[in-house]
Amino acid sequence: MDGDSTTGTPRTAGMMLRSAREAQGLTLSDIAQRTRIPLRHLEAVEDGKFQALPSITYAMGFGRAYARAVNIDETEVARALRAELAANYQRPEPLQDLEPIDMRRGPSGGLVAIAAAVAIVLLLGVGLYFGTSLFRRDEAVTAPAATVAGDLGMLPSPTPAPVAGAAAPASAPVPAGGGQVTLTATGPAWVRIFDDTGTLVNKEMAAGERYDVPMTARNPQIRTGRPDLITVTVNGSNVPPLGTAERAITVGISAEALRARGGGTPTPPPAG
């Protein structure tokens, strides 16, 4: 879409953003460093190639973040983006398989025979291992039952006997080294939750939707453009907000990281 022929003001959101960026002598790489938005997505916003973006929500979030980075009115940019997306945004149709799948085809007879032979060998091995001491040392068979159970993690943790007259605690304290972190959306908000192994969640959470961060996650973090719409609890206790609506954030959401941000033990939720 061309610029306004009377005032010279760009009409499209991408033209507004590019004009503001060039007026400040900035490159797209500078904007990418300020917003932490991939360079290809910034190029798509400037060029109006919205099909290259994951969704309309991402397009709006990227446009607003870009506008804040170049200090122009993000509301005006968002209004222009909505109009362009309503007129131009279309997701590409999924490719169809060139060859229909024959549902009647099954595995070959030779493959079935090999699988059956492997299963028989495995069953024989398990029976010999657990039914005899052929593959086990004598000391493993004669070890005390308590030691074996302890090695297998079957012994319960010792619980101290209750002291007579002592008052029961109102609620169990949160363990100092961990805890169940739960995220709950109070409104539509796109989130990307990831850890050292990769992405765990990449979606738009609906209002009322919750997500329990796996306790096995390694250094879990969240990236979102609306931290004000995400409430966080550790073992059911509230922690301070992750951020405000002014800018996107990337923060750690392990129990330890959240306690460090809050300066101590999370606040229990109000009764009732």
Side-chain angles (χ1 to χ4, degrees):
M1 187 181 297
D2 296 331
D4 191 321
S5 60
T6 60
T7 65
T9 302
R11 291 180 179 176
T12 68
M15 294 173 70
M16 295 179 194
L17 296 169
R18 181 185 293 114
S19 177
R21 173 177 62 78
E22 292 176 348
Q24 299 176 38
L26 299 173
T27 66
L28 271 181
S29 296
D30 297 327
I31 304 302
Q33 291 179 357
R34 291 185 180 186
T35 61
R36 297 186 182 179
I37 297 174
L39 187 62
R40 66 180 186 280
H41 290 164
L42 294 174
E43 292 174 345
V45 171
E46 277 199 357
D47 297 337
K49 297 179 180 179
F50 303 117
Q51 285 77 11
L53 300 175
S55 69
I56 290 178
T57 302
Y58 277 83
M60 294 298 298
F62 293 161
R64 285 180 177 273
Y66 192 155
R68 290 193 294 269
V70 294
N71 297 317
I72 64 174
D73 186 359
E74 66 177 277
T75 302
E76 183 180 356
V77 172
R79 186 182 302 114
L81 274 174
R82 289 192 188 94
E84 294 175 59
L85 290 167
N88 302 325
Y89 187 82
Q90 292 181 348
R91 296 300 294 167
E93 294 293 331
L95 297 177
Q96 301 294 327
D97 292 335
L98 299 179
E99 180 181 354
I101 299 175
D102 186 357
M103 300 301 294
R104 295 171 298 176
R105 284 190 304 180
S108 64
L111 184 61
V112 172
I114 292 173
V118 170
I120 291 173
V121 171
L122 288 175
L123 289 174
L124 288 175
V126 171
L128 288 172
Y129 182 83
F130 289 101
T132 70
S133 61
L134 181 61
F135 300 108
R136 291 178 292 179
R137 297 177 302 188
D138 290 340
E139 61 269 23
V141 177
T142 58
T147 303
V148 174
D151 290 341
L152 296 177
M154 297 170 60
L155 290 178
S157 300
T159 302
V163 179
S171 60
V174 179
Q180 178 59 63
V181 177
T182 300
L183 311 177
T184 304
T186 60
W190 66 267
V191 300
R192 176 173 176 257
I193 301 171
F194 58 96
D195 69 355
D196 293 345
T197 65
T199 298
L200 304 175
V201 172
N202 191 358
K203 60 178 289 188
E204 182 179 39
M205 293 182 68
E209 184 176 352
R210 57 177 284 174
Y211 175 75
D212 292 331
V213 179
M215 298 181 69
T216 56
R218 299 168 56 188
N219 186 29
Q221 300 183 61
I222 184 173
R223 169 72 176 170
T224 179
R226 292 302 304 272
D228 58 312
L229 296 180
I230 303 295
T231 60
V232 186
T233 61
V234 179
N235 288 348
S237 298
N238 296 324
V239 300
L242 297 177
T244 63
E246 280 71 22
R247 63 186 182 89
I249 55 96
T250 300
V251 297
I253 52 173
S254 66
E256 295 82 0
L258 292 171
R259 288 191 184 90
R261 290 182 66 253
T265 304
T267 305

